[in-house]
Amino acid sequence: MTDTDPTDGRELLGHVLLPVANEKDALATARALEPYRPGRVTALHVVEKGGGVPDKTPVEQSEELAEESYAAVRSVFPDADDHTAYARDVVGAIFDAAEDVDATAIAYRSRGGSRLMQFLSGDRSLKLVTNADRPVITLPSRDSSE
């Protein structure tokens, strides 16, 4: 391990950051992570800010969505922590949160979408797995319709 290794010799699944988008996604993602028995889980919900334009959803609605997402994760991992970030750059917010909570890894389920949707969104999955400073674990999707 090097001095810049964020796991610092700790187990890969010692503290997993779990980015979630909504209640359904949170439950599916937590269930996908469950068989790997992480030591600690922190659920992350990023509220996308508009950057000079109105936000995509009102703050109250976004915070309610975050709470529903956290409750879904806690139905699988009762001791899970939560972390809410407000940012224009979702992937950057995930990296910042991973550092803030001292996560050993980031685990996520790809939300898929067409190539066009990936292009328009800047392909967040690609950015997540290629620019991270710690391990990123892509969890399997049992059902692509989830």
Side-chain angles (χ1 to χ4, degrees), residues 2-77:
T2 66
D3 290 338
T4 60
D5 180 4
T7 62
D8 195 29
R10 298 174 289 166
E11 286 193 33
L12 177 66
L13 296 176
H15 183 188
V16 176
L17 181 69
L18 199 66
V20 294
N22 55 49
E23 183 178 11
K24 182 179 178 183
D25 173 63
L27 184 57
T29 304
R31 286 180 177 163
L33 178 62
E34 184 179 27
Y36 303 99
R37 300 191 331 243
R40 182 175 167 203
V41 173
T42 296
L44 168 67
H45 182 82
V46 179
V47 176
E48 272 188 271
K49 301 302 287 176
V53 298
D55 294 336
K56 291 184 176 189
T57 56
V59 173
E60 299 80 19
Q61 184 180 350
S62 296
E63 290 175 346
E64 183 178 318
L65 184 63
E67 289 305 319
E68 291 168 353
S69 299
Y70 300 147
V73 171
R74 285 191 190 103
S75 73
V76 178
F77 298 105

Side-chain angles (χ1 to χ4, degrees), residues 107-128:
Y108 81 105
R109 278 183 359 133
S110 176
R111 290 175 189 86
S114 69
R115 290 273 181 219
L116 177 61
M117 288 305 296
Q118 291 174 7
F119 174 75
L120 293 174
S121 70
D123 201 354
R124 291 179 180 158
S125 291
L126 180 61
K127 289 178 184 176
L128 188 61

